[in-house]
Amino acid sequence: MTVFVLALLTTLQIQSYDLGDEYYLLLDTGGTTASFSSFRLSEPERIVLEVAGRAADTALPSVGATVGRIERNDLGDKTRFVFFISPGSAYTILHRKNLLLVAFRQELFITDETIETTLAAIETRLADKKAALAAAEAEKLAAEAEKLAAEQAKLAAEEAKRLAEAKRLAEAKAAEEKRLAAAQKPAPEQKVAVVVPEQKTVAAPVRPAPEDEDALVGVLAAEQSRKQAQEESARRAALEKERLEKEAAARAAEQARLAKAEEERKLAEAKHIEDQRRAEAKAAEEKKLAEAKVAEEKRIADAKAAEEKRLAALQKAEEEKRIAEQKAAEEKRLAEAKTAEAKMKELKVVKLEPTRQITEDAPPLKVVTLAAKGKLRNLFFRKFPEFSRVTMEVTGELDYAFREIKGGYVIDIHNFEKIPSYLLHIIDTRAFNAEVQYIYPKKDGKVFKIYIKSDQNIAVRKSDEAGLIHFDFYVPTMQ
């Protein structure tokens, strides 16, 4: 029944970080120490991570280059994550009490970073990436504005050119009409010459004189010239009409093009306004999420403080009860001793040489931990029928990273000031026919590294006891 209540209380909060070449998934158990198991599968290549607790109803992120897809399955008291990775990708797990940071990249993780320094580096890279995206977006908007201004200037120049051409055509047309009107107007002497022969013909139909014949010929020639001028004027008028119709069609096409360009400009401007609105909405959403994250962290901290206070009160009550029980036992023992002494006196024992001894009922001494940091006290190996176990005996909280390397795994333990020499012995486990072949501890600066040589496709499961951290290596089976 107790295990069921703990499973209900353990909720995994999920936060992801996509940096392009690297991908991180942060799991927070909300106060309880995280327990996990992980292993690698092939065809397709996958990393399977099982964490004690139930994941919150959070949408899994869409990832890219290193991790292509993430699947999540609820297994009751634990949650299984399946990471579909690109071939050859490496992963590591950084652990600090209730936090698990699972990291993926193309190359092996060879840095000795802690979970705090890694999260700080992630935040720095995300801020730089966000600033770069903002600068690129500003540069893009400036280029679009410059392009739009150039397009508007080009349209204005074309409009001015069109208006000048229309003015020139109108002036040419007026000049041509004026010239044609001047050409069609008859001369005064020709007009007299036409009247005189008509009067002579009406008065007396006689043969005209030679000079009259010349005048008549001139009149006929003038009439023929006038008709030819009229035909030429009509032909030119038709040509001018055709030209004006073509110009009107060209102006209509130009106006349609300008209207289309204006429509495109308006659409671009509307798109810019919409993009700006979306950017503002995204910023507001990010601010809201940041505030929610701060509130959630405060809630978790308050819950943690309340839980610690409750545990302290419970421990105090248990300590008081234990002291009371010890006091009652001591009083009982003294009463029994007095009774025995009275009986001895009745037997008239003159002298008694008591022997000093420590009874089992003596109250135990209270152990006080003075070290602020957790330390590794010892390292054990045990072979079970279905798995091999590497156990670290610790005092307090350790900050460590569990990484997959070529040919096995390595555990990086921090918080070390001085490493005892008895922890640096190599443990050869090949005689046990175990999943682990040997354990090679090594000091590297202030980091204590435990290299674990294992067979391929071996899974690992991490669990905790009081002062013990177990890593179980076994052959995985998917259910």
Side-chain angles (χ1 to χ4, degrees):
M1 187 64 181
T2 304
V3 176
F4 180 75
V5 173
L6 289 176
L8 288 178
L9 293 177
T10 303
T11 302
L12 299 176
Q13 301 295 331
I14 303 174
Q15 179 68 38
S16 62
Y17 306 93
D18 185 12
L19 303 181
D21 57 338
E22 298 178 1
Y23 180 76
Y24 296 87
L25 191 70
L26 180 63
L27 302 173
D28 188 351
T29 62
T32 59
T33 302
S35 297
F36 66 90
S37 64
S38 67
F39 52 91
R40 181 184 291 266
L41 298 176
S42 58
E43 295 182 2
E45 197 158 351
R46 291 155 289 166
I47 299 298
V48 180
L49 175 69
E50 295 180 352
V51 185
R54 293 184 177 179
D57 190 12
T58 305
L60 290 175
S62 58
V63 292
T66 306
V67 180
R69 179 163 56 92
I70 303 176
E71 292 182 355
R72 178 179 60 193
N73 298 314
D74 186 3
L75 304 181
D77 59 344
K78 59 185 176 180
T79 303
R80 173 182 293 165
F81 298 89
V82 181
F83 303 90
F84 291 79
I85 60 175
S86 59
S89 297
Y91 79 101
T92 186
I93 300 174
L94 286 82
H95 182 217
R96 166 65 70 83
K97 200 174 180 181
N98 59 306
L99 296 179
L100 281 181
L101 183 62
V102 190
F104 299 88
R105 65 157 55 150
Q106 293 291 331
E107 298 84 13
L108 291 176
F109 288 82
I110 58 176
T111 58
D112 296 326
E113 300 293 334
T114 64
I115 192 169
E116 287 85 357
T117 57
T118 302
L119 289 175
I122 290 172
E123 294 294 338
T124 301
R125 288 191 60 182
L126 288 176
D128 294 342
K129 185 177 180 181
K130 185 176 180 180
L133 290 176
E137 184 67 19
E139 185 177 353
K140 180 181 178 182
L141 292 176
E144 290 179 354
E146 184 177 356
K147 182 179 179 181
L148 184 61
E151 184 68 21
Q152 290 177 348
K154 182 179 178 182
L155 292 175
E158 291 178 354
E159 181 67 15
K161 183 178 179 181
R162 187 187 65 79
L163 292 175
E165 182 67 17
K167 182 178 179 182
R168 185 187 66 78
L169 292 175
E171 292 176 352
K173 180 180 178 182
E176 182 66 17
E177 290 177 350
K178 184 176 180 181
R179 186 184 66 78
L180 291 175
Q184 292 175 1
K185 186 176 181 180
E189 57 275 10
Q190 290 177 347
K191 199 170 186 181
V192 174
V194 172
V195 173
V196 173
E198 288 179 353
Q199 290 176 353
K200 289 182 179 180
T201 302
V202 173
V206 294
R207 183 178 182 83
E211 57 275 11
D212 295 334
E213 290 181 357
D214 294 338
L216 183 59
V217 170
V219 170
L220 292 176
E223 183 66 20
Q224 186 176 2
S225 177
R226 185 180 64 80
K227 288 182 180 181
Q228 290 178 355
Q230 290 178 349
E231 290 175 356
E232 181 65 20
S233 177
R235 186 180 66 81
R236 290 187 177 184
L239 291 175
E240 182 65 18
K241 181 179 179 182
E242 183 179 358
R243 185 180 63 79
L244 292 175
E245 289 176 352
K246 289 181 178 180
E247 288 180 355
R251 282 196 301 272
E254 181 66 16
Q255 290 177 353
R257 188 186 69 80
L258 292 175
K260 183 178 179 181
E262 181 66 16
E263 183 69 20
E264 291 177 351
R265 184 189 66 78
K266 290 181 178 179
L267 290 175
E269 185 176 358
K271 182 177 180 298
H272 172 65
I273 294 173
E274 179 65 19
D275 291 342
Q276 187 177 4
R277 185 190 65 79
R278 289 181 178 177
E280 293 175 353
K282 183 179 179 181
E285 182 67 20
E286 290 177 351
K287 182 179 179 182
K288 181 179 177 182
L289 290 176
E291 293 175 351
K293 182 180 179 182
V294 171
E296 181 65 17
E297 290 176 351
K298 184 177 182 302
R299 184 191 67 78
I300 292 173
D302 294 340
K304 181 180 177 182
E307 182 67 15
E308 290 177 350
K309 184 177 179 181
R310 186 186 68 81
L311 291 175
L314 182 61
Q315 184 177 4
K316 182 179 179 181
E318 290 177 353
E319 183 68 17
E320 291 175 351
K321 181 180 178 182
R322 184 182 64 81
I323 292 173
E325 291 175 351
Q326 289 178 354
K327 185 177 179 181
E330 182 66 15
E331 290 175 352
K332 181 180 179 181
R333 186 186 66 80
L334 292 175
E336 290 174 352
K338 288 181 179 179
T339 303
E341 185 178 359
K343 290 181 179 180
M344 283 181 175
K345 288 181 178 180
E346 289 177 359
L347 294 174
K348 297 182 181 181
V349 177
V350 178
K351 186 177 181 181
L352 179 64
E353 294 291 339
T355 58
R356 298 183 62 186
Q357 61 181 0
I358 300 177
T359 65
E360 294 181 357
D361 294 332
L365 296 177
K366 185 177 181 181
V367 178
V368 179
T369 302
L370 298 178
K373 297 180 180 180
K375 292 183 178 180
L376 179 65
R377 295 180 58 184
N378 215 334
L379 189 64
F380 305 102
F381 170 80
R382 283 177 289 178
K383 178 68 178 77
F384 292 88
E386 296 182 354
F387 62 90
S388 298
R389 171 169 288 181
V390 177
T391 300
M392 299 189 304
E393 184 181 0
V394 299
T395 61
E397 291 294 336
L398 282 185
D399 188 4
Y400 66 88
F402 181 83
R403 296 188 283 115
E404 181 191 44
I405 61 174
K406 186 177 181 180
Y409 300 90
V410 62
I411 304 174
D412 298 333
I413 304 176
H414 298 265
N415 299 353
F416 259 93
E417 296 177 356
K418 184 178 180 181
I419 301 175
S421 59
Y422 67 84
L423 291 177
L424 298 174
H425 297 296
I426 298 176
I427 303 176
D428 191 346
T429 62
R430 290 175 291 182
F432 296 94
N433 192 22
E435 291 79 6
V436 174
Q437 298 176 10
Y438 62 82
I439 304 169
Y440 174 39
K442 180 183 178 182
K443 179 181 178 182
D444 187 1
K446 292 185 178 181
V447 180
F448 183 59
K449 295 180 178 291
I450 304 174
Y451 293 94
I452 301 173
K453 173 67 175 176
S454 65
D455 297 331
Q456 292 184 351
N457 300 324
I458 292 296
V460 61
R461 175 176 57 241
K462 180 257 177 184
S463 60
D464 292 271
E465 288 185 43
L468 299 176
I469 300 176
H470 303 300
F471 291 94
D472 298 337
F473 297 84
Y474 60 97
V475 178
T477 57
M478 289 291 290
Q479 297 179 354

